[in-house]
């Protein structure tokens, strides 16, 4: 299609965008291969779940990534910018059932539609690298990795109290329970004991924590969230023998300096010693009933939620190994089995939670750390004292500084064989078992004779069974006898397949690596290709993934390294967490009725206008407030540029040499052009503030338009105008690629705008032209000022009146008036 076919007075976005999308697709413009002669740049947005339609959050996220990808290409980088689909999971299964379809049909249909939508946005993806995690060609390698992790001891199976969602018929990770409810269906979560598969992410806890320091390109809030989730604590571990029984309760404390102040023991309701402690005593039934009650309550609480303190005396006592004191044992609702040992030595004088509990149940309070200048009377204390001080009533450690005493108390425990130093983490192992259909089958086999064994690698993938009746409900794998029944690879006898499927976070924990070699057919990864592309230079997504996806991806990268597939420690060098798109003060959602459909916007304004608005409305890390006037404004700007180029097409197409000397207007336009290049480059390079970059380009266009007004067009050199337009189009091209490509062609430029080099500003050209302004007082020269040529008269007067030399002649005298001779002098009349 030639340019003349689509020229009109109004910018015809539909025809123009279709033209360039077809050209990019036909020419595979954004297809990329490894090139050792060029520096690589891997930019990636978190891939979407194929829900059926993109939303404005997608538009914003992918537009940000696309600007970065296009910018880096123009800078000469070899850019990898792939796209795929996070396609497994309950939402597809539930939606398919609701619509009397099958998850596979539902998912692939949605992928087809969303792929069209993404292409309409003009996103510069290498579509040859597209993956869908529900493809067997993808999850077969996931199954292989599972087997290799099993053989390496990173995977194990255990009975565990899990978060069970009855509605979804599946187990949820702790992170997937939001305010007592399933993060998918919003139904209450119940505790259930079940055998499940776990990844030993805790084996990597210290490395996951330490390596956060190697990620200066991550937002500090995300690093902090991960540090808190990993939750490293150092302190003392020791055992409190149970009085009258041959068992002990192990504890861990970060405050060994308070161990002489322990007045009771609190244990979790799930603690394995609880049944032993209460067996056969009068307290048994009441304690068990209480324990069952609070187990349910705890499963419904978020980890951050602080419950009202409740407890029940077990009828047993234990002995403090440091002072021999006998203290009561309580089962308490605030003790977590998942943290430490599941038992807490309670020091109510120096821990607020223990203090509240002691007050409620009338338990002893014994201060052992006295801050300087204070006298702690346990009968008068209204809250716990948690600040350092001097030890009292602490045996041989009495009189010591509480902080310095901690190491000596731990050493005492070691020497007396009653305890020692210990490190613990809040992080728990990752439970990946899910009891549904639409997920990657776990490749294990259960044999009564041989035990649990991995599926032979030659038999991979373990495929999901295909349902002949796609309208039928998708039964979980444990309800499918034909799937379960198999042969033991060890003895050849009858056996059963594992019927759990993998948590879908498994798929998203390594997809970024698979993009580097998506078609390799004999291994999960081509290590040479992975070594060229990884780590991802810029990752983009929502801060809501700070703990789940990002932590799991970091863990999985380290596992892939240890399995020999990768040679990096961290997957994402830089991370950008973009804000939400909000309307009427809240996040866009169907339930709130405030959704704006990108499809409708693109149909009315075009993809480039929608992209420009999403980039211009707010910095990427801030929430974007929907504004219909903002979309109109973006459209008006593009139409103004279009009309300008159309009007001055003859001038722009007839290329002119650079003159030996520039006129005043020429110097002004040249200066603004290079100042804009500098501003846009710095805004993109340093903080991705596309909004201020776009504002700078709008300012340049205003100067350009003014330069070609009736008053100036004869005095401004054509070469300067041509350079300004050329650079403006290159600067605009990452934001509005269809528009820039068409305007580049319409302006008579050779090649395509994608083939250009990102402009560099001239350091001399950006300098403001300086004028010497004479300052007179009553007509006599008293000073001289060096000022930029575009300084306003008002600013000149202010500078003249505050000038040090001038003040010697005007101080204390009333100023009658000031006279400005433009660009020459300021005369002060006193």
């Amino acid at each position: 299609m030639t340019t003349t076919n689509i020229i009109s007075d109004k910018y015809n976005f539909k025809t123009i965008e279709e033209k360039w999308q077809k050209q990019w697709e036909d020419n595979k413009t954004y297809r990329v291969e490894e090139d050792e002669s060029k520096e690589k740049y891997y930019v990636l947005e978190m891939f979407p779940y194929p829900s059926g339609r993109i939303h404005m959050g997608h538009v914003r996220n992918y537009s940000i990534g696309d600007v970065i990808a296009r910018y880096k290409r123009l800078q000469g980088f070899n850019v990898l910018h792939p796209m795929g689909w996070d396609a497994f999971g309950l939402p597809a299964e539930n939606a398919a059932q609701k619509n009397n379809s099958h998850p596979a049909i539902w998912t692939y249909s949605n992928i087809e539609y969303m792929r069209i939508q993404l292409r309409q946005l003009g996103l510069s993806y290498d579509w040859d690298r597209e993956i869908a995690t529900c493809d067997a060609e993808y999850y077969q390698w996931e199954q292989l990795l599972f087997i290799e992790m099993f053989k390496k001891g990173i995977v194990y199976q255990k009975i565990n109290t899990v978060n069970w969602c009855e509605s979804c018929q599946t187990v949820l990770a702790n992170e997937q329970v939001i305010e007592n409810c399933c993060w998918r269906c919003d139904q209450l979560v119940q505790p259930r004991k079940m055998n499940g598969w776990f990844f030993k992410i805790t084996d990597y806890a210290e490395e996951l924590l330490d390596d956060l320091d190697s990620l200066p390109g991550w937002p500090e809030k995300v690093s902090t969230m991960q540090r808190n989730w990993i939750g490293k604590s150092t302190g003392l571990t020791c055992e409190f023998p149970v009085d009258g029984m041959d068992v002990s309760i192990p504890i861990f404390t970060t405050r060994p300096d308070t161990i002489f102040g322990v007045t009771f023991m609190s244990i979790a309701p799930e603690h394995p010693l609880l049944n032993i402690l209460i067996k056969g005593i009068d307290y048994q039934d009441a304690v068990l009933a209480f324990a069952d009650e609070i187990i349910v309550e705890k499963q419904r609480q978020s980890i951050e939620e602080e419950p009202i303190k409740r407890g029940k005396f077990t009828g047993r006592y234990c002995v403090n190994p440091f002072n021999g004191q006998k203290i009561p044992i309580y089962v308490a609702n605030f003790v977590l089995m998942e943290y430490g040992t599941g038992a807490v030595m309670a020091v109510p004088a120096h821990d607020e939670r223990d203090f509240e509990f002691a007050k409620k149940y009338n338990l002893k309070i014994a201060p052992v750390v006295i801050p300087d200048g204070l006298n702690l009377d346990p009968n008068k204390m209204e809250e716990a004292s948690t600040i350092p001080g001097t030890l009292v009533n602490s045996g041989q450690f009495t009189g010591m500084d509480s902080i310095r005493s901690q190491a000596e108390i731990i050493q005492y425990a070691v020497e007396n064989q009653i305890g020692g130093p210990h490190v613990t983490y809040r992080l728990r192992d990752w439970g990946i078992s899910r009891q549904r259909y639409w997920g990657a089958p776990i490749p294990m086999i259960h044999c009564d004779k041989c035990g649990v064994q991995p599926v032979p690698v030659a038999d991979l993938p373990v495929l999901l069974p295909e349902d002949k009746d796609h309208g039928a409900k998708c039964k979980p794998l444990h309800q499918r006898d034909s799937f379960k029944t198999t042969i033991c690879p060890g003895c050849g006898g009858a056996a059963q397949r594992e019927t759990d499927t993998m948590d879908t976070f498994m798929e998203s924990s390594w997809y970024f690596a698979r993009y580097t070699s998506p078609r390799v057919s004999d291994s999960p990864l081509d290590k040479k290709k992975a070594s060229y592309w990884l780590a991802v230079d810029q990752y983009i997504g929502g801060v809501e993934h700070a703990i789940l996806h990002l932590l799991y991806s970091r863990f999985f990268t380290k596992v892939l390294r240890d399995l020999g597939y990768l040679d990096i420690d961290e997957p994402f060098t830089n991370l950008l967490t973009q804000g939400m798109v909000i309307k009427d003060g809240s996040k866009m959602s169907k339930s709130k009725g405030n959704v704006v459909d990108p499809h409708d916007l693109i149909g009315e304004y075009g993809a480039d206008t929608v992209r420009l608005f999403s980039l211009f409305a707010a910095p990427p890390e801030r929430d974007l407030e929907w504004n219909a006037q903002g979309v109109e404004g973006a459209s008006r700007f593009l139409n103004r540029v279009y009309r300008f180029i159309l009007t001055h097409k003859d001038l722009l197409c007839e290329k002119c040499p650079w003159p030996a000397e520039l006129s005043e207007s020429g110097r002004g336009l040249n200066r603004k052009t290079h100042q804009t290049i500098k501003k846009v480059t710095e805004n993109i390079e340093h903080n991705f503030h596309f909004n201020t970059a776009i504002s700078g380009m709008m300012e340049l266009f205003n100067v350009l338009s003014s330069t070609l007004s009736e008053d100036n067009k004869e005095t401004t050199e054509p070469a300067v105008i041509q350079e300004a337009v050329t650079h403006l189009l290159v600067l605009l091209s990452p934001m509005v690629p269809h528009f820039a490509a068409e305007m580049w062609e319409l302006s008579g430029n050779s090649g395509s705008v994608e083939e250009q080099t990102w402009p560099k500003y001239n350091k001399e050209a950006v300098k403001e032209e300086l004028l010497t302004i004479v300052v007179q007082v009553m007509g006599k020269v008293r000073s001289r000022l060096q000022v930029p040529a575009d300084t306003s008269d008002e600013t000149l007067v202010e500078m003249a009146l505050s000038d040090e030399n001038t003040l010697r002649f005007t101080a204390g005298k009333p100023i009658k008036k000031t006279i400005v001779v433009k660009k020459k002098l300021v005369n002060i009349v006193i």
Side-chain angles (χ1 to χ4, degrees):
M1 183 182 293
T2 63
T3 304
T4 54
N5 294 137
I6 59 175
I7 292 179
S8 65
D9 291 336
K10 185 173 174 59
Y11 172 53
N12 188 339
F13 61 81
K14 186 176 188 300
T15 305
I16 290 171
E17 290 177 357
E18 288 177 353
K19 166 191 170 180
W20 288 104
Q21 287 163 16
K22 184 177 188 306
Q23 183 166 310
W24 295 331
E25 183 177 355
D26 291 346
N27 296 339
K28 292 188 179 293
T29 302
Y30 306 114
R31 189 174 184 272
V32 68
E33 296 293 343
E34 299 73 34
D35 185 347
E36 296 293 343
S37 69
K38 297 176 71 175
E39 186 176 356
K40 68 89 180 181
Y41 193 89
Y42 185 176
V43 57
L44 182 65
E45 306 95 62
M46 295 178 185
F47 65 167
Y49 158 68
S51 59
R53 301 179 78 88
I54 64 172
H55 52 66
M56 283 303 298
H58 289 132
V59 172
R60 189 184 194 199
N61 188 13
Y62 304 146
S63 295
I64 290 169
D66 198 51
V67 171
I68 297 170
R70 290 177 179 276
Y71 167 71
K72 288 296 181 179
R73 284 194 198 95
L74 291 166
Q75 285 191 317
F77 287 87
N78 193 30
V79 175
L80 174 58
H81 189 208
M83 174 49 70
W85 313 95
D86 191 8
F88 268 142
L90 276 172
E93 192 169 326
N94 292 340
Q97 292 182 17
K98 183 178 179 180
N99 290 275
N100 198 32
S101 184
H102 185 273
I105 293 175
W106 178 262
T107 299
Y108 285 112
S109 174
N110 288 349
I111 287 174
E112 288 294 325
Y113 186 79
M114 290 179 70
R115 187 190 298 117
I116 292 171
Q117 288 187 301
L118 294 182
R119 287 186 185 277
Q120 288 175 340
L121 281 170
L123 302 168
S124 60
Y125 294 132
D126 179 355
W127 284 103
D128 286 355
R129 294 175 182 264
E130 180 183 9
I131 59 175
T133 59
C134 61
D135 289 343
E137 291 78 7
Y138 182 86
Y139 71 74
Q140 67 172 324
W141 303 118
E142 194 167 288
Q143 292 174 338
L144 174 65
L145 294 173
F146 182 98
I147 291 171
E148 292 182 353
M149 291 168 70
F150 176 77
K151 292 178 178 178
K152 199 173 177 66
I154 305 173
V155 176
Y156 67 97
Q157 195 176 29
K158 71 171 182 178
I159 297 289
N160 191 45
T161 300
V162 298
N163 304 304
W164 176 257
C165 176
E166 185 66 26
S167 174
C168 296
Q169 286 287 295
T170 194
V171 171
L172 304 175
N174 287 341
E175 301 92 327
Q176 294 169 323
V177 179
I178 310 298
E179 295 182 351
N180 314 330
C181 296
C182 171
W183 73 318
R184 289 296 191 192
C185 69
D186 206 33
Q187 297 300 304
L188 280 178
V189 172
Q190 301 286 346
R192 176 179 288 192
K193 290 190 180 297
M194 186 176 290
N195 210 10
W197 292 96
F198 290 80
F199 286 162
K200 285 187 178 179
I201 191 172
T202 52
D203 282 1
Y204 290 81
E206 189 68 22
E207 187 180 0
L208 287 166
L209 187 64
D210 289 345
D211 284 357
L212 287 170
D213 293 333
S214 70
L215 299 172
W218 281 39
E220 183 56 37
K221 64 180 179 181
V222 175
S223 297
T224 298
M225 290 169 74
Q226 291 212 359
R227 285 191 183 93
N228 292 340
W229 189 259
I230 295 168
K232 180 180 180 180
S233 298
T234 59
L236 165 73
T237 184
C238 66
E239 295 191 352
F240 282 56
V242 177
D243 186 47
M245 299 183 71
D246 190 23
V247 294
S248 295
I249 300 175
I251 64 94
F252 168 79
T253 178
T254 60
R255 291 289 308 275
D257 55 315
T258 66
I259 200 158
F260 287 87
V262 178
T263 61
F264 62 96
M265 179 70 67
S266 302
I267 65 173
E270 309 95 331
H271 201 292
L273 285 178
L274 180 60
N275 285 333
I276 297 173
L277 293 175
I278 62 177
K279 185 177 181 180
I281 66 175
D282 294 342
Y283 292 85
Q284 180 173 347
D285 291 344
V287 170
L288 284 178
F290 177 78
D292 290 342
E293 178 185 339
I294 61 177
I295 285 173
V296 173
E297 287 182 0
K298 286 169 67 175
Q299 290 293 129
R300 293 179 178 177
Q301 291 166 350
S302 66
I303 291 178
E304 292 77 15
E305 186 178 349
E306 186 69 25
I308 297 173
K309 310 298 181 296
R310 298 175 62 208
K312 181 75 72 174
F313 178 48
T314 63
R316 293 287 186 180
Y317 295 81
C318 61
V319 178
N320 187 332
F322 282 81
N323 59 14
Q325 290 185 0
K326 190 162 54 171
I327 58 175
I329 304 171
Y330 277 74
V331 57
N333 67 338
F334 57 82
V335 182
L336 301 176
M337 192 65 224
E338 297 81 13
Y339 184 74
T341 66
V344 175
M345 62 170 220
V347 188
H350 304 296
D351 181 275
E352 189 60 34
R353 182 181 56 183
D354 296 340
F355 182 86
E356 292 176 11
F357 192 89
K359 283 291 188 181
K360 182 172 184 176
Y361 293 100
N362 198 28
L363 297 168
K364 181 180 177 181
I365 298 173
V368 292
V369 179
I370 308 300
D372 291 345
L374 294 181
N375 178 27
L376 298 182
D377 183 343
N379 297 317
K380 296 179 180 179
M381 291 178 68
E382 296 182 355
E383 62 182 1
S385 173
T386 59
I387 58 179
T390 302
L391 296 192
V392 297
N393 301 321
S394 298
Q396 69 188 67
F397 305 101
T398 296
M400 290 186 64
D401 175 79
S402 62
I403 300 297
R404 286 189 280 112
S405 73
Q406 293 181 2
E408 295 202 23
I409 290 173
I410 292 174
Q411 183 60 35
Y412 174 87
V414 173
E415 292 172 355
N416 289 272
Q417 299 182 341
I418 58 174
H422 189 67
V423 177
T424 190
Y425 300 90
R426 180 188 188 217
L427 180 69
R428 299 293 90 192
D429 283 338
W430 175 11
I432 68 154
S433 289
R434 301 294 180 265
Q435 293 69 43
R436 295 299 292 171
Y437 167 74
W438 193 236
I442 293 177
M444 302 299 286
I445 292 173
H446 299 265
C447 174
D448 291 340
K449 180 179 179 181
C450 303
V452 180
Q453 301 177 70
V455 171
V457 171
D459 293 344
L460 297 179
V462 177
L463 295 170
L464 279 176
E466 293 185 6
D467 293 323
K468 293 181 180 180
D469 179 6
H470 286 165
K473 285 192 173 183
C474 299
K475 294 180 180 178
L477 298 184
H478 65 269
Q479 298 177 13
R480 297 168 181 262
D481 292 338
S482 60
F483 176 82
K484 289 193 294 184
T485 304
T486 189
I487 303 298
C488 174
C491 66
Q496 287 199 337
R497 291 191 186 279
E498 173 61 60
T499 58
D500 285 353
T501 55
M502 298 186 205
D503 180 6
T504 54
F505 279 103
M506 175 82 166
E507 282 86 58
S508 61
S509 293
W510 73 287
Y511 79 107
F512 50 86
R514 182 66 179 175
Y515 276 142
T516 65
S517 48
R519 304 296 171 251
V520 63
S521 58
D522 58 354
S523 176
L525 300 169
D526 181 317
K527 188 171 183 179
K528 184 177 180 181
K529 293 178 183 291
S531 296
Y532 176 82
W533 289 114
L534 293 172
V536 175
D537 295 281
Q538 184 64 60
Y539 200 37
I540 305 162
V543 73
E544 66 271 18
H545 300 291
I547 294 174
L548 288 169
H549 165 58
L550 291 173
L551 185 63
Y552 293 159
S553 296
R554 296 182 61 226
F555 160 67
F556 222 82
T557 296
K558 297 175 191 303
V559 170
L560 289 171
R561 175 202 62 197
D562 292 348
L563 294 176
Y565 290 106
L566 297 178
D567 52 14
I568 59 171
D569 298 323
E570 289 289 334
F572 314 121
T573 304
N574 297 290
L575 174 67
L576 172 64
T577 53
Q578 90 281 354
M580 298 183 298
V581 179
I582 60 177
K583 185 173 183 281
D584 303 327
S586 59
K587 181 181 178 181
M588 285 188 180
S589 69
K590 292 180 180 178
S591 62
K592 294 174 181 174
N594 64 348
V595 172
V596 176
D597 192 335
H599 177 78
D600 297 338
L601 283 177
I602 292 171
E604 185 174 356
Y605 295 100
D608 282 338
T609 292
V610 177
R611 287 172 59 124
L612 190 65
F613 163 74
S614 71
L615 296 165
F616 184 53
E621 73 277 7
R622 299 271 299 276
D623 288 346
L624 184 157
E625 179 71 45
W626 169 256
N627 184 334
Q629 289 74 31
V631 181
E632 291 279 359
S635 177
R636 284 196 302 272
F637 172 69
L638 293 182
N639 274 283
R640 284 181 62 211
V641 177
Y642 172 75
R643 288 192 298 271
F644 175 90
I645 290 177
L646 192 62
T647 300
H648 303 290
K649 180 184 174 186
D650 292 342
L651 170 63
L652 298 173
C653 289
E654 187 178 340
K655 303 306 178 186
C656 301
W658 194 262
E661 207 171 313
L662 295 180
S663 65
E664 183 178 338
S665 63
R667 289 196 305 274
L669 178 57
N670 186 53
R671 184 185 311 115
K672 189 63 176 180
T673 298
H674 285 270
Q675 288 174 341
T676 303
I677 294 170
K678 181 176 185 291
K679 178 178 183 178
V680 173
T681 303
E682 290 175 349
N683 285 158
I684 296 176
E685 197 69 42
H686 297 158
N687 51 21
F688 301 132
H689 279 196
F690 308 119
N691 58 322
T692 53
I694 294 168
S695 176
M697 288 184 274
M698 290 177 172
E699 290 176 10
L700 172 60
F701 178 71
N702 289 337
V703 172
L704 187 60
S705 298
S706 176
T707 300
L708 277 178
S709 67
E710 290 299 322
D711 295 336
N712 296 322
K713 67 178 182 179
E714 299 299 331
T715 61
T716 305
E717 294 79 2
V720 180
I721 297 170
Q722 291 166 1
E723 181 199 56
V725 172
T726 297
H727 287 333
L728 176 62
L729 293 178
V730 175
L731 297 178
L732 277 171
S733 64
M735 286 82 168
V736 286
H738 315 87
F739 178 84
E742 185 65 25
M743 296 306 101
W744 182 267
E745 186 177 271
L746 187 59
S747 301
N749 294 300
S750 59
S752 67
V753 74
E754 289 93 355
E755 297 169 342
Q756 305 312 303
T757 299
W758 186 262
K760 295 182 179 180
Y761 68 89
N762 184 311
K763 292 182 179 179
E764 292 300 317
V766 299
K767 293 179 180 178
E768 291 286 354
E769 191 171 319
L770 296 179
L771 297 176
T772 299
I773 302 296
V774 173
V775 180
Q776 297 177 338
V777 178
M778 300 299 291
K780 293 182 179 181
V781 177
R782 300 304 187 187
S783 188
R784 287 177 170 83
L785 305 174
Q786 292 286 315
V787 300
D790 59 353
T791 303
S792 67
D793 290 352
E794 292 79 6
T795 302
L796 284 176
V797 170
E798 290 176 7
M799 294 174 68
L801 291 173
S802 61
D803 178 70
E804 184 178 338
N805 293 326
T806 306
L807 286 171
R808 294 208 304 262
F809 300 95
T810 62
K813 300 174 183 178
I815 307 299
K816 293 183 177 180
K817 65 177 178 178
T818 56
I819 302 169
V820 178
V821 178
K822 200 168 188 66
K823 297 188 177 182
K824 289 185 179 181
L825 64 82
V826 176
N827 185 27
I828 302 171
V829 180
I830 56 177

